[in-house]
Amino acid sequence: MVTTSKLAKIIKIRAISAIWIIPIVTAVVGLWIIYSHYADRGTPFTLLAKDASGIVAGKTVIKNRSVDVGIVDEVTLSDDYNQVVVKGRIYNDMKPLLKNDSIFWVVKPEIGRDGVTGLNTILSGVYIELASGNDTHSFKNNPFILSDAPPLSDPSIKGIRLNLESDQNGVIPRGASVMFHGYRVGNVETSQFDVASRKMKYQIFITQPYDALVTQNVRFWKEGGINLTLSSLGASLNVPSLDVLLSGGISFDLPDGSKLGAPAEQYSVYKLYENKKSIQDSQYTEYKEFLIMLSDSISGLSEGAPVEYHGIRLGTVSKVPFYTPEMLEQSSILNQKVPVLIRIEPDRLSELVDQKIDIATLIMDEQKNGLRASLKTSNMFTGALYIDLDFYSDLKNKYDVKKSKQFGYDTIDTTSTGIAQIQAKIMQLLDNFNNLPLNNTMSQFNKSLASSERLMNSINQIMASKEMQNMPKDLQKAMHSLNETMKGLQPGSDLNNQMKESLQKVQQMMDELTPLLNTLNDKSNALIFSAPNKKDQEPKAKGTK
């Protein structure tokens, strides 16, 4: 029996086995799930904070206008352990809210100047509020600062931010009003003291359309106090709003006569002045300095006080007192007049007259005609003084040209006037009274009265004599009248008593005026405000200092 062998023919099947369908589908679904998970997580971001009070990973939400837009995923410390790192994400459909200049802050219950806020977080817990910015560049995922307080201005609101610097006392708090003619147009965003420059620095924000009011020539000044102005026209009382009165504020405007100028740029730097009056002086940058030597007390004269001629302001007091090393080398500080430096500002006259006047040269030339500088009182309530320029006829042709320039400065000669001159005259009058020989006068007066009494007794004896009875009636009447007159002068009579009382009152008046004038010399406004009480000197034991 013959057997034949056959080879099996192998045929490759190109189709995929149906058994692989299930794992492939499973892998695709898994990848899709993973992709969807990470895609739906949203855009990640990082926040840096001082502490994580109330912030819980997986629970604390990110909100914008009370709508959930994201969530906190992780809360941890930084590598150097100096701050808290909060990692979160913004949902995909809210991604446009996240920009490079966005602002984040923690919302929690607190009581502030605007009332009680964040009460809804007492039960739900704190949350993080997001304020979208204006940046149009692609998101760079740089860390944001998580603030404890909300921003005073929404970043989406358009306007202008400016920097102010002040070397004056007092602090304007964050959130204070920025006003134009009393109307609120912005607020103070930051308020801090710069140690290096020793100045207060503020950042303010002015919203549209009021940012158009800010130009390069505007001036800013502080608001907040009650302003009482006394003038020849009467009294003016300016009381700001309660908000400004309690927390202060900042106002701005153009000085009188100033041009509008170009619009201000973002973050421009301006000086913050003390009050509205001082912004007027800031525009007078051209001036001529003069030196005056005062023999009167400068108590009440301060820097910034006006220099006037018949009520027309010509300049400003620059330095009180003004000592140079050369002055102290030539004479002791106690053996010379008090030097004061003033500024004559020609632009002040330009506002009154059209033509150009060289007022500095005119002042120097007119001193030979009696022009002098003197101290005068501008306010009796405060005792404030100012420099007055005026002509004095008795000083004409008495100007010493050698004193026209002293210590490198043109010098204006001075004279005493006003209260100082009145005090000098009263003191001279009292000295004259004190020099009167009142005691000798009283003793002589008493002697005269005694002589008159003896004369009266003699007359009485004559009147009682028989010879007098035989005299004519007219002569008798004359003698009787003389007798009555003498009786009125004798001690104990009304006329005698009145004369003694008058002399005693004169002496008492002198005793009372002497301490009054001494007080006026120490404090010129003592007639309005009481002078400080002086302690009586206590006697010391022998041998003690």
Side-chain angles (χ1 to χ4, degrees):
M1 180 174 181
V2 180
T3 59
T4 60
S5 60
K6 294 182 179 179
L7 296 176
K9 188 178 181 180
I10 300 173
I11 301 174
K12 294 182 178 180
I13 301 174
R14 298 184 178 276
I16 299 175
S17 175
I19 197 169
W20 290 104
I21 295 177
I22 295 175
I24 291 174
V25 171
T26 303
V28 170
V29 171
L31 291 175
W32 176 255
I33 292 174
I34 294 173
Y35 170 79
S36 299
H37 172 72
Y38 282 98
D40 291 341
R41 282 179 62 85
T43 304
F45 64 90
T46 303
L47 303 176
L48 301 179
K50 294 180 179 179
D51 61 72
S53 177
I55 301 175
V56 180
K59 291 185 178 180
T60 303
V61 297
I62 316 296
K63 292 188 177 184
N64 179 271
R65 294 179 175 84
S66 300
V67 177
D68 292 355
V69 297
I71 193 168
V72 173
D73 288 331
E74 182 182 351
V75 180
T76 184
L77 291 176
S78 61
D79 294 337
D80 56 4
Y81 307 106
N82 290 330
Q83 55 187 347
V84 176
V85 179
V86 179
K87 294 183 178 181
R89 51 191 170 85
I90 297 295
Y91 302 144
N92 282 337
D93 54 345
M94 299 296 176
K95 183 178 179 180
L97 292 174
L98 192 60
K99 299 181 180 180
N100 292 319
D101 59 347
S102 296
I103 298 177
F104 294 84
W105 70 93
V106 178
V107 178
K108 52 188 176 182
E110 63 178 356
I111 300 175
R113 55 180 292 165
D114 295 328
V116 181
T117 58
L119 289 178
N120 57 330
T121 62
I122 294 178
L123 298 178
S124 63
V126 302
Y127 64 89
I128 298 175
E129 183 75 16
L130 163 64
S132 182
N134 297 318
D135 187 77
T136 56
H137 298 86
S138 59
F139 182 60
K140 299 178 181 179
N141 199 15
N142 292 325
F144 296 94
I145 300 298
L146 180 60
S147 177
D148 292 330
L152 295 171
S153 303
D154 193 320
S156 62
I157 299 177
K158 295 182 178 180
I160 186 171
R161 284 179 170 83
L162 303 171
N163 294 318
L164 306 182
E165 296 182 350
S166 172
D167 53 5
Q168 306 291 334
N169 295 330
V171 178
I172 300 175
R174 177 178 178 269
S177 301
V178 176
M179 296 169 291
F180 180 80
H181 290 185
Y183 182 76
R184 180 167 182 170
V185 296
N187 51 55
V188 178
E189 291 188 327
T190 62
S191 172
Q192 60 184 5
F193 181 75
D194 184 24
V195 178
S197 62
R198 297 193 174 189
K199 293 182 178 180
M200 282 298 303
K201 293 190 175 182
Y202 306 93
Q203 179 176 294
I204 65 173
F205 178 71
I206 299 175
T207 60
Q208 282 189 351
Y210 309 111
D211 57 342
L213 298 171
V214 185
T215 63
Q216 293 179 349
N217 292 335
V218 299
R219 299 290 187 271
F220 293 83
W221 71 91
K222 292 182 180 179
E223 291 280 10
I226 298 176
N227 186 18
L228 175 62
T229 303
L230 299 175
S231 65
S232 58
L233 300 178
S236 174
L237 181 63
N238 182 20
V239 181
S241 63
L242 183 60
D243 177 59
V244 175
L245 189 62
L246 294 177
S247 60
I250 295 175
S251 290
F252 68 94
D253 201 356
L254 285 169
D256 295 339
S258 179
K259 295 181 180 179
L260 191 62
E265 298 180 358
Q266 287 280 355
Y267 301 102
S268 296
V269 180
Y270 290 84
K271 179 180 178 181
L272 181 61
Y273 292 88
E274 182 67 19
N275 49 49
K276 186 176 182 179
K277 183 180 178 181
S278 59
I279 72 168
Q280 293 297 127
D281 301 335
S282 66
Q283 59 183 332
Y284 302 112
T285 56
E286 181 182 349
Y287 56 85
K288 168 70 175 177
E289 291 183 328
F290 287 88
L291 181 67
I292 61 175
M293 308 293 288
L294 296 170
S295 58
D296 299 329
S297 172
I298 62 171
S299 178
L301 183 66
S302 59
E303 296 180 9
V307 178
E308 298 182 356
Y309 171 75
H310 286 193
I312 301 173
R313 183 162 183 174
L314 302 179
T316 305
V317 175
S318 177
K319 191 72 175 176
V320 182
F322 177 69
Y323 287 107
T324 64
E326 185 181 358
M327 295 179 187
L328 300 177
E329 287 176 3
Q330 291 189 9
S331 177
S332 168
I333 193 173
L334 299 178
N335 296 330
Q336 62 182 0
K337 295 181 178 180
V338 181
V340 174
L341 190 66
I342 66 173
R343 294 178 177 179
I344 298 298
E345 299 153 341
D347 290 341
R348 293 186 181 274
L349 279 180
S350 301
E351 299 175 356
L352 304 177
V353 294
D354 295 333
Q355 65 184 39
K356 185 73 173 180
I357 299 177
D358 189 358
I359 185 63
T361 304
L362 191 62
I363 288 174
M364 295 300 296
D365 293 340
E366 289 297 331
Q367 291 189 70
K368 63 178 180 294
N369 295 323
L371 182 67
R372 297 291 186 273
S374 63
L375 283 175
K376 286 193 176 179
T377 302
S378 61
N379 193 316
M380 290 297 293
F381 285 93
T382 62
L385 302 176
Y386 71 98
I387 303 297
D388 180 68
L389 299 178
D390 205 349
F391 287 92
Y392 298 88
S393 57
D394 55 334
L395 298 177
K396 188 175 183 181
N397 299 324
K398 294 183 180 180
Y399 176 59
D400 187 0
V401 182
K402 297 180 180 179
K403 297 181 179 180
S404 61
K405 199 172 190 67
Q406 301 183 45
F407 306 105
Y409 291 91
D410 290 337
T411 306
I412 303 176
D413 205 358
T414 61
T415 184
S416 294
T417 185
I419 289 183
Q421 196 173 36
I422 294 174
Q423 289 176 351
K425 290 183 178 180
I426 295 178
M427 289 298 293
Q428 183 179 2
L429 178 62
L430 288 177
D431 290 340
N432 293 335
F433 268 115
N434 288 329
N435 293 332
L436 290 175
L438 293 178
N439 293 330
N440 295 335
T441 302
M442 291 296 294
S443 61
Q444 291 177 2
F445 181 69
N446 291 330
K447 291 179 181 178
S448 299
L449 289 178
S451 300
S452 299
E453 186 176 2
R454 290 193 297 270
L455 177 60
M456 185 188 63
N457 293 332
S458 301
I459 293 175
N460 287 333
Q461 292 176 1
I462 294 173
M463 292 294 294
S465 63
K466 294 182 179 180
E467 290 80 1
M468 184 62 185
Q469 302 298 326
N470 298 327
M471 291 181 67
K473 292 183 179 181
D474 293 339
L475 185 57
Q476 289 183 12
K477 289 181 180 180
M479 293 299 293
H480 280 294
S481 299
L482 180 60
N483 186 29
E484 295 296 329
T485 302
M486 296 304 297
K487 286 182 179 179
L489 293 175
Q490 66 182 357
S493 64
D494 294 339
L495 181 59
N496 182 276
N497 293 335
Q498 289 176 1
M499 293 178 68
K500 286 185 176 181
E501 288 178 1
S502 298
L503 289 174
Q504 290 174 354
K505 287 180 179 179
V506 171
Q507 184 66 38
Q508 183 181 1
M509 179 187 68
M510 290 191 301
D511 294 339
E512 292 177 351
L513 281 176
T514 300
L516 172 62
L517 289 175
N518 291 334
T519 302
L520 287 175
N521 283 329
D522 295 336
K523 187 176 182 182
S524 59
N525 62 345
L527 292 174
I528 307 299
F529 299 103
S530 60
N533 296 327
K534 294 183 178 180
K535 295 183 178 180
D536 296 334
Q537 255 186 339
E538 296 181 0
K540 297 182 179 179
K542 186 177 181 180
T544 59
K545 295 183 178 181

